[in-house]
Amino acid sequence: MTEPLPSPRPARDDSAGRADLVLEPVGEAPRLRADAVRNSARLLEVAADLVALRGAENLTMEAVAQGAGVGKGTVFRRFGDRAGLMIALLDSHEQELQAGFLTGPPPLGPGAPAVERLRAFGSAVLRHEQAHRDLYLAAHIDIRRRRTVPAYSLRLSHLRLLLREAGAGGDLDLAAHSLLAYLDITLIDHLVLREAMSLERIESGWYDLVARGTGAAAPDDR
């Protein structure tokens, strides 16, 4: 005999005695959530393989869908668009960088003076993003999204804290945004490829910015 479906339960009552009805998930919902997690991991695995094979600039949503054996709509529903897929692919690399400046050894991590940490932060971002250049460039195509992702907010908060600890004056929010703008991968890529600047020269420019923003002396060994 088929068991009756569970009755909807009243979730809340208002002053007029009416109730909102809420159907509680039964049985399958946890499994579906787990499936969604596994499906996302599979899509990212396929995307990473395609990037390694063809390069990030040639990665398409259609290719990921085909490689994972799903419809293209599934990929779009999960990541929104190609930039969203690239941001998701960057997650593990970004976490590696974050671990370095949040909990890693000094001078990038805690334990060094704030000015030294600011200098080390810029150097670390430059080297890290150059090591994963294609992915970062692809993820930053959408200018509107570039400064709204959590990774940017974390970098911003970190710089603002270090500027405060270093005794920098003025508007620290604007100063932190300005520093991050200097490290923008699209600018760095232009300077390296179009202006033939070396990373060492760009790094020296970062040290100058930190010195100007904090009143500290620039390092002697630039």
Side-chain angles (χ1 to χ4, degrees):
M1 179 178 178
T2 304
E3 294 182 0
L5 293 173
S7 300
R9 66 171 177 84
R12 63 176 177 82
D13 295 320
D14 60 23
S15 58
R18 295 171 297 186
D20 290 337
L21 299 180
V22 178
L23 284 173
E24 294 183 343
V26 179
E28 293 296 323
R31 183 180 66 81
L32 290 174
R33 287 196 295 268
D35 285 348
V37 171
R38 286 193 294 270
N39 289 340
S40 295
R42 173 59 180 158
L43 292 173
L44 288 174
E45 179 184 355
V46 170
D49 288 344
L50 289 172
V51 167
L53 182 65
R54 306 176 184 175
E57 67 277 9
N58 296 316
L59 183 67
T60 65
M61 305 291 267
E62 292 85 351
V64 173
Q66 184 177 5
V70 300
K72 185 171 65 174
T74 299
V75 185
F76 277 97
R77 283 192 297 272
R78 173 60 185 86
F79 301 107
D81 54 21
R82 186 174 181 275
L85 173 61
M86 293 300 180
I87 290 171
L89 276 174
L90 276 175
D91 185 61
S92 62
H93 299 307
E94 189 65 26
Q95 288 183 24
E96 177 185 350
L97 175 66
Q98 292 169 4
F101 67 74
L102 291 177
T103 61
L108 180 59
V115 171
E116 291 185 22
R117 295 190 68 190
L118 281 167
R119 292 171 181 152
F121 176 84
S123 298
V125 170
L126 286 171
R127 305 294 172 175
H128 175 82
E129 294 196 347
Q130 282 301 300
H132 308 288
R133 170 183 170 274
D134 289 350
L135 276 177
Y136 273 97
L137 284 173
H140 283 69
I141 289 177
D142 188 342
I143 298 176
R144 295 169 300 178
R145 187 182 305 178
R146 189 181 305 173
R147 293 175 176 81
T148 60
V149 296
Y152 182 89
S153 298
L154 180 59
R155 293 185 186 190
L156 185 70
S157 298
H158 181 66
L159 285 183
R160 187 167 51 229
L161 175 64
L162 291 181
L163 287 169
R164 183 178 296 111
E165 290 181 358
D171 190 324
L172 298 187
D173 288 328
L174 287 177
H177 277 290
S178 297
L179 287 174
L180 282 185
Y182 181 89
L183 298 174
D184 185 275
I185 184 62
T186 56
L187 171 62
I188 301 303
D189 197 59
H190 170 80
L191 295 177
V192 171
L193 295 183
R194 304 295 182 183
E195 304 294 333
M197 292 187 186
S198 67
L199 281 181
E200 289 74 20
R201 180 180 176 184
I202 297 170
E203 192 174 37
S204 293
W206 171 261
Y207 295 155
D208 285 337
L209 279 179
V210 170
R212 293 167 189 265
T214 62
D220 296 329
D221 57 349
R222 293 182 303 164

